[in-house]
Amino acid sequence: MKRLMCLSLCFVLCGCGAMPTAQNVEVKKVNVNVIEVSASSLDEIEEMASKDVEDTKEKLESERNALGEEITDFDAYTKNEDKVKAFYD
């Protein structure tokens, strides 16, 4: 199962470089973390992927909690809509 997940991840990552076919596509700048893979086995790659997922999850939860502490009511939300949009982007 883990090998299937890694293989699927590889296919997804390989497909990310495809050119968009739709016209008038809005270009968005996205911060993409580049992961340097220096593993010699599939198990090491799986471990690296799991660690990256956990680190990303912790980072997003931390950002969400900080935003939740700042935005406690509708007025705070309307004053900070740009922060909320940036979080979801």
Side-chain angles (χ1 to χ4, degrees):
M1 182 67 179
K2 289 182 181 179
R3 292 175 192 232
L4 181 60
M5 288 174 48
C6 283
L7 185 60
S8 299
L9 179 62
C10 289
F11 284 130
V12 168
L13 293 176
C14 290
C16 289
M19 295 297 294
T21 56
Q23 294 181 358
N24 300 326
V25 174
E26 180 181 335
V27 176
K28 294 183 180 181
K29 293 183 181 180
V30 177
N31 292 330
V32 177
N33 294 332
V34 177
I35 302 171
E36 188 173 315
V37 178
S38 59
S40 59
S41 71
L42 186 58
D43 290 334
E44 290 177 19
I45 293 172
E46 289 175 4
E47 184 178 324
M48 289 175 66
S50 295
K51 182 180 181 326
D52 182 58
V53 167
E54 288 301 316
D55 291 346
T56 302
K57 179 183 166 189
E58 288 175 15
K59 178 183 171 224
L60 289 172
E61 286 175 347
S62 173
E63 290 176 9
R64 182 198 62 205
N65 292 339
L67 191 60
E69 290 174 5
E70 187 175 344
I71 300 173
T72 57
D73 58 13
F74 184 73
D75 290 331
Y77 170 79
T78 57
K79 291 177 184 174
N80 294 295
E81 282 185 69
D82 56 331
K83 290 182 182 179
V84 174
K85 183 174 179 347
F87 173 76
Y88 282 106
D89 287 344

